Amino acid sequence: MDRNNWPESGDFVVCTVKDVTDFGAYTTLEEYDGKEGFIHISEIKAGWVKYVRDHVREGQKIVCKVLNVDSSRRHIDLSLKDVNEHQKRAKIQEWKNEQKASKWLQFVEEETNTSHEEMEKTSQKLLEHFGSLYAAFEEAAMVGVNAFNEIKLKKKIANSIAEIAQNNIKLPFVDIAGYVDLTCNLPEGIEIIKTALEAANDVKEDEVRIDISYTGAPRYRIKVIAPDYKKAEAVLKKSAEIAVDTIEQLGGKGEFHRHNDSVKA
């Protein structure tokens, strides 16, 4: 399913090598409905590359960084050398998790006798609210059907997702969330909000993951997964404060709400 249409510059993508030539390699992007990307020989590896086939082969799964996207020409420039081992492992795991989540949704569709069209709409709701399908199942594994209170899934679908999640996902980490309301009425307001969110997402702590997703103007959800609640709370607070401070410095307004705060969506 072609959920996102085109990747953006800077994204990491999972590719399958389709064709290797003397001057680079053509790939298909697994998460973008098989769209084609190209890795120039200069982007294969740092330093001089004599033979491209010494580094990639047809049928190989690799992780690349998107350098440039020209949708009008249906052309995507990729880099293999700009991906380190940590980024590669993280992206492959993310991709595998999304594949699992997609299969689980197929089980939900069959178990609840839901039409494919309705399940596609449900999938889109989950993506928009949680940022990824797997994140939706993670949330359901932790808090059950209450994970879907805000997006009002049909009861039979919510119950099925929660049951599958709790039977398949082990949660060695804690998972908490909060919301920031960000507004800016300046002409460049959208870019200012984006800058604030990027700053919030740049908080780095060992064994901690931050996921920021849009839930509906002006609200953004900050989800933190960490080894313990103390660290999770500290990172959530720090990330939210950075978002609010950044947007206020740039002429906008921001406000932080914890997940269980009584606020209007």
Side-chain angles (χ1 to χ4, degrees):
M1 182 167 58
D2 189 8
R3 293 195 186 98
N4 298 306
N5 198 18
W6 293 92
E8 295 182 0
S9 297
D11 285 351
F12 293 103
V13 291
V14 177
C15 305
T16 301
V17 180
K18 180 181 177 182
D19 186 30
V20 178
T21 70
D22 291 340
F23 50 88
Y26 291 93
T27 72
T28 53
L29 279 63
E30 295 293 332
E31 302 152 287
Y32 294 90
D33 202 33
K35 286 183 170 60
E36 189 174 271
F38 179 69
I39 315 168
H40 189 265
I41 188 171
S42 63
E43 294 295 335
I44 295 287
K45 178 180 175 293
W48 185 65
V49 173
K50 185 175 182 180
Y51 299 114
V52 177
R53 289 183 185 277
D54 288 344
H55 305 280
V56 293
R57 63 185 183 277
E58 283 89 351
Q60 182 181 3
K61 287 280 190 303
I62 57 176
V63 175
C64 293
K65 184 176 181 179
V66 177
L67 298 179
N68 183 57
V69 176
D70 186 341
S71 57
S72 64
R73 295 174 52 225
R74 302 189 65 79
H75 184 79
I76 304 170
D77 290 314
L78 302 169
S79 175
L80 183 60
K81 72 179 184 181
D82 285 351
V83 183
N84 62 39
E85 279 301 313
H86 172 74
Q87 292 164 335
K88 176 183 175 182
R89 287 194 300 270
K91 182 60 190 179
I92 288 291
Q93 188 59 54
E94 175 190 308
W95 175 63
K96 287 181 176 179
N97 285 344
E98 282 301 279
Q99 286 188 310
K100 283 192 286 189
S102 292
K103 285 196 172 182
W104 291 339
L105 274 189
Q106 290 177 16
F107 295 152
V108 171
E109 181 180 323
E110 295 166 5
E111 183 180 76
T112 60
N113 197 28
T114 300
S115 70
H116 185 67
E117 290 74 17
E118 185 174 351
M119 190 53 66
E120 285 285 296
K121 292 177 182 177
T122 298
S123 176
Q124 192 59 40
K125 277 187 183 179
L126 296 175
L127 282 168
E128 289 173 357
H129 186 74
F130 294 98
S132 73
L133 295 180
Y134 191 79
F137 278 92
E138 276 187 321
E139 190 87 1
M142 187 170 186
V143 301
V145 294
N146 290 334
F148 310 115
N149 287 345
E150 295 181 18
I151 55 175
K152 297 179 174 59
L153 294 187
K154 285 188 175 179
K155 186 175 180 180
K156 66 178 182 178
I157 293 176
N159 286 335
S160 181
I161 292 175
E163 182 180 356
I164 289 173
Q166 290 169 348
N167 287 338
N168 287 278
I169 297 179
K170 294 180 181 179
L171 292 170
F173 284 45
V174 299
D175 180 338
I176 66 173
Y179 298 92
V180 286
D181 292 347
L182 304 177
T183 58
C184 184
N185 295 324
L186 296 174
E188 64 275 24
I190 293 175
E191 288 303 315
I192 288 174
I193 291 172
K194 184 177 179 181
T195 298
L197 293 172
E198 289 173 348
N201 202 41
D202 277 343
V203 175
K204 305 297 181 187
E205 289 286 345
D206 290 341
E207 299 183 299
V208 175
R209 192 178 90 208
I210 299 176
D211 291 319
I212 300 179
S213 56
Y214 176 71
T215 64
R219 183 151 297 171
Y220 297 83
R221 180 173 180 269
I222 303 176
K223 175 181 172 183
V224 176
I225 300 173
D228 57 73
Y229 278 106
K230 185 177 180 180
K231 179 174 276 192
E233 287 283 1
V235 171
L236 176 59
K237 182 180 178 182
K238 184 176 181 181
S239 178
E241 286 177 347
I242 288 174
V244 172
D245 289 346
T246 300
I247 198 162
E248 289 182 349
Q249 289 170 12
L250 296 173
K253 293 181 180 180
E255 186 176 0
F256 173 54
H257 306 281
R258 271 298 271 116
H259 184 69
N260 56 359
D261 285 351
S262 179
V263 293
K264 293 181 180 179

